[in-house]
């Protein structure tokens, strides 16, 4: 992977960035409407509405503490495990309300995978790390099937060649970038429809970052990816649409090229040009 | 960012080379060193005290690890032991005959006292051996038989064969008289030169002279040592000393009513003392004949001091030379087993629930506070609880290891719960998130990821809790787990039992000299078990330790 230019605003995936047109070609995967969220007494999200499309990358940007992670965690109901966290509003996956009582959060998390900021492989073998998801969901029956899933997932995560000879070694013995790709392999091993990534490259060096970015390009072909990032360049490089958050509110969401070249809101303008943050 | 310059320096500029700054640096270094020194002193103190404790235990406990025994050749006389029923032979007679044979010529009236050299259990040792090996009937066997406690102590040099005949106060009186030049040699005997007022109210001139010469002699001696009111003072003068007065009056009747100087011979012990030696007497526990018999046995090379395996394999006994810890170890084992089986699963389940599932509300807060306080409750209170509830209400048997284990588990539960919760808390949240993220349910996160990672901590806590329970005495005493267990054959969960700490307690309470060293030895054994448990804890911890 050759070095990226400092800021390279990608050409929009869809030629004409007129309202509504670009999105029409993509299929709506997840939709959030009027999401309010409280941590105890304190409100962290204020009426956030955002559409996320299949086969594309949606980037969430915004200053620290503005609620990007919080919003991302709403999408696979990871906030459920936080004491005193309350969510209001409507979040749909393929038109189905994921907060409906009959939706099982555990099954939901198999459909909506997540990659975290800090690589967090299980302290088990590389094989076990990837096979764990299929195992608990009963996706495979024979050993060969597991081996197959592990190989495919690692290959898609671009890690297979590096680890194929040491699948029995601990996942924690890998380098940071390899660990993060292992986590991606783990997340995609259960065939999720949506992949949420919370600052997946913030702990990595530029080369590992570049690898993961290429990987995202590859993965997004049959996935809906939502990524939180602090790097404007990264958002510009990998995403098709970008949402700007500020103080718990969604300020603006649009084609990535539009956000970076010609945002509507003054705050977005200030943020992407580095005037505050 | 660009704002930083606008704010400017946050503190006035400091001259780092100024005297003030350098003084501050020196002070900081000094404070660092002081803190280090305090730590080193504290550790040295702790290690020193521990060393003193262990050293004193080892020095007093060491004699208990060897046991004086007599290799006694015994002829198993078929006339005394019926081969059909070896259990009910006349073994006491066999042992007596055997002793007779190695120490010939004991007069009949001495036989009992010589027999006391051997443990009172000697006949049973022989019986047990013959019952196990019936083919020895009609043959001569050589059995090592423990000697009874006083002789064991004598042989190990714990108690002396001879003792000082006079105590230091008696020696003190004598020295006072000696310093005044009253101790002189007279007529070839060491004597006291005393002024005697020949009281006409006590003596009569006779002839022959009569009166209470002994009182006269005593009162004249007492006059030299005023304010001493000890009857043993009389023993200073030889038994025939009063006759000196009689003889003198017979020779010079006119001394009646006058004060004259007389020479009273000293009693044998004081005579020795007067010669500058220390008078000795035979230890009153032993008779001359017993010591002579022991010397004969020793001379024949029959007295041995092998390692005292019986300390580990014998159950308790009234005779220290036969008492061992097997019953106590078995009892402790059963109690700890019950304690572990109860407190380990319950403790982990409670900790997992409180840490991972319980809602945070007043009620769970209350439970948490109570568990933490429970760990600080004195163990004797748990004993009372066990006494009232397990014995009183549920009617479980007294002294049983089952009840002991239940009471101990009340004590270990808080420890296990608290350490397990700490271990669960220490598992990094990223592991939970990772597992939740791939769609693991709460219990899968727990069982597949969190518990295995917390296991080293949990095991350490459990073993430390068990070690505490092993050393716990008060609650076991309260439920009566200090029974006298002379045999481990019938021990079980519901049978009366004793335990290591309560055994130590009862031995410490026993007057026999042999139990003093056995108490220390038992403490060493208990400490040994604790050390082993801690080593196991550390090993397990390192074995399961994984990094993440
Ligand atoms: N578990 C929590 N309990 C209470 N408040 C929380 C919790 N998590 C986040 N918050 C608060 O919610 C707000 C949004 O936090 P969030 O983590 O979503 O920010 P962010 O945009 O991801 O920031 P960053 O870019 O620094 O990661 C912050 O004010 C934070 O203090
Ligand atoms: Mg965040």
């Amino acid at each position: 992977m050759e070095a990226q230019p400092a800021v390279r605003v990608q050409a929009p995936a869809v030629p004409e960035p007129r309202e509504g047109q670009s999105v029409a070609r993509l299929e709506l995967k997840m939709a959030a409407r009027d999401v309010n969220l409280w941590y105890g007494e304190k409100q962290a999200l204020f009426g956030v509405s955002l559409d996320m499309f299949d086969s594309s990358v949606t980037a969430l940007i915004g200053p620290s503490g503005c609620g990007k992670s919080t919003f991302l965690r709403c999408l696979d109901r990871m906030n459920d495990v936080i004491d005193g966290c309350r969510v209001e509003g409507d979040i749909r996956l393929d038109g189905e309300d994921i907060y409906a009582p009959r939706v099982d959060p555990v099954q939901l998390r198999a459909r909506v995978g997540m990659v975290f900021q800090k690589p967090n492989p299980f302290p088990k073998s590389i094989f076990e790390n990837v096979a764990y998801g299929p195992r608990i969901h009963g996706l495979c029956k024979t050993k060969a099937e597991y081996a197959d899933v592990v190989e495919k997932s690692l290959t898609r995560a671009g890690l297979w060649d590096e680890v194929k000879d040491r699948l029995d070694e601990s996942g924690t013995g890998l380098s940071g970038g390899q660990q993060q790709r292992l986590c991606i392999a783990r997340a995609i091993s259960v065939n999720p429809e949506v992949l949420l990534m919370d600052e997946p490259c913030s702990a990595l060096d530029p080369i590992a970052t570049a690898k993961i970015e290429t990987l995202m390009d590859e993965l997004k072909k049959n996935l809906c990816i939502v990524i939180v990032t602090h790097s404007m360049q990264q958002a510009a490089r990998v995403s098709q649409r970008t949402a700007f958050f500020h103080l718990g509110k969604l300020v603006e969401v649009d084609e990535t090229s539009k956000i970076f070249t010609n945002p509507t809101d003054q705050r977005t303008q200030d943020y992407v040009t580095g005037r505050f943050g | 960012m660009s704002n930083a310059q606008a704010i400017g320096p946050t503190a006035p500029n400091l001259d780092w080379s100024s005297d003030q700054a350098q003084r501050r640096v020196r002070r900081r270094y000094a404070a660092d060193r002081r803190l280090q020194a305090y730590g080193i002193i504290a550790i040295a103190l702790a290690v020193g005290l521990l060393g003193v404790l262990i050293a004193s235990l080892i020095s007093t406990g060491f004699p208990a690890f060897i046991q004086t025994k007599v290799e006694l050749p015994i002829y198993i006389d078929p006339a005394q032991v019926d081969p059909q029923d070896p259990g009910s032979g006349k073994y006491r007679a066999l042992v007596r005959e055997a002793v007779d044979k190695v120490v010939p010529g004991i007069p009949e009236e001495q036989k009992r006292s010589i027999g006391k050299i051997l443990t009172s259990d000697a006949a049973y040792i022989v019986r047990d051996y013959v019952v196990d090996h019936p083919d020895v009937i009609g043959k001569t066997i050589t059995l090592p038989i423990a000697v009874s406690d006083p002789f064991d102590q004598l042989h190990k040099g714990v108690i002396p064969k001879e003792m000082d005949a006079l105590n230091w106060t008696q020696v003190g009186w004598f020295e006072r008289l000696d310093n005044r030049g009253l101790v002189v040699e007279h007529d070839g005997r060491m004597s006291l030169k005393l002024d005697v007022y020949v009281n006409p109210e006590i003596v009569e001139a006779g002839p022959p002279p009569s009166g209470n010469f002994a009182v006269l002699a005593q009162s004249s001696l007492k006059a030299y040592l005023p304010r001493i009111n000890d009857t043993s003072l009389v023993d200073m003068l030889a038994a025939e000393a009063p006759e000196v007065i009689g003889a003198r009056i017979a020779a010079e009747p006119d001394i009646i009513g006058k004060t004259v100087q007389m020479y009273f011979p000293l009693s044998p012990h004081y005579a020795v003392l007067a010669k500058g030696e220390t008078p000795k007497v035979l230890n009153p526990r032993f008779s001359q004949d017993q010591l002579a018999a022991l010397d004969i046995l020793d001379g024949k090379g029959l007295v041995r001091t092998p390692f005292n395996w019986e300390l580990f394999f014998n159950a308790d006994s009234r005779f220290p030379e036969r008492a061992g810890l097997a019953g106590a170890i078995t009892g402790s084992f059963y109690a700890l087993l019950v304690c572990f089986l109860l407190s380990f699963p319950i403790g982990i389940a409670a900790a997992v629930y409180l840490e991972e599932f319980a809602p945070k509300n007043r009620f769970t807060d209350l439970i948490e506070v109570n568990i933490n306080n429970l760990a600080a409750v004195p163990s004797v209170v748990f004993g009372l609880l066990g006494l009232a509830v397990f014995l009183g209400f549920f009617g479980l048997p007294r002294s049983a290891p089952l009840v002991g284990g239940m009471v101990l588990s009340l004590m270990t539960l808080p420890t296990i719960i608290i350490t397990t919760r700490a271990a669960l808390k220490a598992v990094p949240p990223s592991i939970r998130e990772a597992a939740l993220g791939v769609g693991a349910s709460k219990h899968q996160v727990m069982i597949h990821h969190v518990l295995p990672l917390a296991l080293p901590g949990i095991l350490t806590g459990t073993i430390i809790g068990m070690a505490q329970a092993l050393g716990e005495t008060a609650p076991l005493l309260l439920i009566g787990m200090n029974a006298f267990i002379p045999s481990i054959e019938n021990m079980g969960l519901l049978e009366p039992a004793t335990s290591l700490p309560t055994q130590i307690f009862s031995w410490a309470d026993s007057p026999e000299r042999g139990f003093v060293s056995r108490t220390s030895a038992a403490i060493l054994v208990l400490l040994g078990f604790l050390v082993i448990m801690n080593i196991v804890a550390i090993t397990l911890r390192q074995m399961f330790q994984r990094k993440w």
Side-chain angles (χ1 to χ4, degrees), chain A residues 56-222:
Chain A
S56 83
V57 177
T58 308
L60 311 184
I61 59 169
S64 188
C66 66
K68 307 178 296 290
S69 301
T70 302
F71 177 73
L72 200 69
R73 293 165 62 92
C74 287
L75 300 180
D76 69 345
R77 293 185 61 175
M78 281 292 264
N79 285 330
D80 286 19
V81 296
I82 296 177
D83 269 327
C85 176
R86 188 158 54 85
V87 185
E88 252 178 30
D90 192 42
I91 302 178
R92 286 172 187 273
L93 173 63
D94 286 337
E96 190 189 359
D97 183 4
I98 63 168
Y99 279 86
R102 54 183 196 80
V103 172
D104 173 31
V106 167
Q107 265 173 20
L108 173 74
R109 285 182 208 133
R111 295 175 64 192
V112 183
M114 191 150 190
V115 176
F116 299 84
Q117 174 170 4
K118 211 172 133 247
N120 55 356
F122 299 132
K124 299 176 190 264
S125 71
I126 293 171
F127 186 93
E128 253 329 291
N129 261 285
V130 184
Y132 182 70
R135 203 188 295 286
I136 56 173
H137 294 295
L139 299 186
C140 306
K141 280 172 200 73
T142 62
K143 266 196 154 158
E145 278 179 0
Y146 279 112
D148 192 44
V149 168
V150 169
E151 177 172 351
K152 277 196 184 125
S153 308
L154 285 171
T155 310
R156 278 180 80 191
L159 191 61
W160 175 250
D161 289 332
E162 289 161 63
V163 301
K164 63 173 181 246
D165 301 324
R166 44 176 179 148
L167 292 177
D168 292 334
E169 284 174 30
S170 172
T172 49
L174 297 173
S175 76
Q178 288 174 325
Q179 286 189 11
Q180 194 62 302
R181 278 179 285 152
L182 178 61
C183 292
I184 294 175
R186 181 176 67 192
I188 60 181
S189 65
V190 289
N191 269 328
E193 300 156 41
V194 181
L195 187 59
L196 311 175
M197 306 174 105
D198 192 349
E199 300 180 38
C201 303
S202 64
L204 305 183
D205 69 301
I207 294 176
T209 304
K211 274 194 183 144
I212 288 184
E213 283 175 8
T214 350
L215 182 58
M216 275 191 268
D217 264 347
E218 200 55 37
L219 289 174
K220 77 156 195 277
K221 284 176 187 158
N222 34 24

Side-chain angles (χ1 to χ4, degrees), chain B residues 107-178:
Chain B
E108 197 57 42
E109 71 276 9
Q110 286 293 333
K111 279 190 177 161
R112 249 187 99 80
S113 108
I114 300 297
K116 281 201 174 137
I117 293 177
L118 298 179
T119 172
S120 313
D121 271 355
Y124 302 115
I125 298 175
V126 180
R127 182 194 64 190
D128 290 348
Y129 185 86
V130 174
V131 170
D132 287 346
H133 308 85
D135 54 310
V136 298
I137 295 174
K139 297 180 191 154
T140 299
I141 51 170
T142 302
L143 273 186
I145 294 188
V147 303
S148 65
D149 185 46
F151 293 93
D152 184 34
Q153 303 299 330
L154 172 70
H155 194 260
K156 287 172 184 165
V158 178
I159 55 178
K161 195 175 190 171
E162 290 183 323
M163 298 181 4
D164 287 352
L166 303 173
N167 62 32
W168 62 270
T169 38
Q170 293 169 325
V171 174
W173 303 331
F174 183 78
E175 276 169 0
R176 275 162 68 182
L177 299 175
D178 198 10

Side-chain angles (χ1 to χ4, degrees), chain A residues 225-238:
Chain A
I225 296 181
V226 185
I227 176 175
V228 171
T229 178
H230 274 287
S231 154
M232 243 61 82
Q233 294 93 316
Q234 185 172 55
R237 284 195 298 265
V238 301

Side-chain angles (χ1 to χ4, degrees), chain A residues 34-47:
Chain A
D34 260 331
V35 175
N36 291 306
L37 182 142
W38 289 265
Y39 287 121
E41 294 295 294
K42 192 176 144 245
Q43 189 164 3
L45 291 179
F46 300 83

